[in-house]
Amino acid sequence: MNAVTKFIIAVMVLSLSFCRSSEGIVLDSSGENLEERISTMNKIIEPISSVPSKIMDAHYIETKIGNGRIGPSDYYFYASIKVSKGEVKKWYQNLKEPYNGVTQFSSPEISKNWWLTKKKFTNLKLYETKTYFGRYNGWIAVDDENDQIFVHTYTQ
């Protein structure tokens, strides 16, 4: 290896060592009251679509991995939306199956008591997320019995 190549490799290694990952929570409903959680969920959906029915409660978390310097950052969003009895059908009646064949279970890195279990997930029907959340990757899982909607989206 010549001196120039060694120098370039040394500069690249040094540059990478200064890159810090800015991973962490972007959005979290943990510290919010009911009114704030519902308001935030409406603000997430309304720029993309009208909200199909009144939201009775919502919980959510979005995390970011990466800092966007060397490659893009990735975002993982999870939400649970509770609607009035019999209103859940309004949320999925015009939705398609998940895009990109995304049908595998996923859960937030930080355990949340409002998130569904893998066992429950296997019994739910899945739909696409683009209509309400603007992302192709992920799924909406609908729990008709409990009038609940679970959302998982991500970027890559």
Side-chain angles (χ1 to χ4, degrees):
M1 223 185 303
N2 66 30
V4 173
T5 304
K6 287 180 182 178
F7 176 76
I8 291 172
I9 291 171
V11 168
M12 289 174 59
V13 168
L14 188 60
S15 297
L16 288 173
S17 68
F18 287 108
C19 293
R20 292 187 187 140
S21 174
S22 52
E23 299 180 14
I25 296 172
V26 176
L27 186 65
D28 188 357
S29 63
S30 294
E32 297 179 341
N33 64 38
L34 177 64
E35 186 178 298
E36 291 170 324
R37 293 193 309 265
I38 292 170
S39 174
T40 299
M41 187 55 65
N42 282 322
K43 287 176 185 174
I44 290 170
I45 297 170
E46 286 172 343
I48 300 162
S49 174
S50 59
V51 179
S53 72
K54 184 177 179 181
I55 296 173
M56 304 308 291
D57 197 357
H59 296 275
Y60 43 82
I61 186 165
E62 183 169 47
T63 56
K64 173 184 169 186
I65 297 175
N67 60 14
R69 287 191 208 158
I70 299 179
S73 297
D74 292 319
Y75 293 85
Y76 297 87
F77 177 77
Y78 298 88
S80 169
I81 302 169
K82 180 78 172 166
V83 297
S84 297
K85 185 109 180 107
E87 294 288 300
V88 75
K89 186 174 183 181
K90 291 180 181 180
W91 285 76
Y92 68 83
Q93 65 187 0
N94 295 318
L95 298 182
K96 301 173 186 167
E97 290 184 3
Y99 291 105
N100 304 327
V102 179
T103 57
Q104 52 277 33
F105 177 74
S106 183
S107 60
E109 264 187 47
I110 302 166
S111 181
K112 298 293 183 182
N113 63 357
W114 48 262
W115 190 245
L116 76 165
T117 63
K118 187 171 186 174
K119 183 178 180 180
K120 184 174 187 172
F121 172 79
T122 60
N123 296 318
L124 301 180
K125 179 84 171 130
L126 303 180
Y127 299 93
E128 52 91 5
T129 58
K130 177 113 176 63
T131 299
Y132 301 125
F133 298 93
R135 291 182 182 164
Y136 282 98
N137 296 317
W139 42 257
I140 291 175
V142 176
D143 181 351
D144 286 300
E145 290 178 19
N146 297 301
D147 302 298
Q148 204 157 12
I149 300 151
F150 296 95
V151 182
H152 164 53
T153 70
Y154 61 95
T155 63
Q156 47 174 188

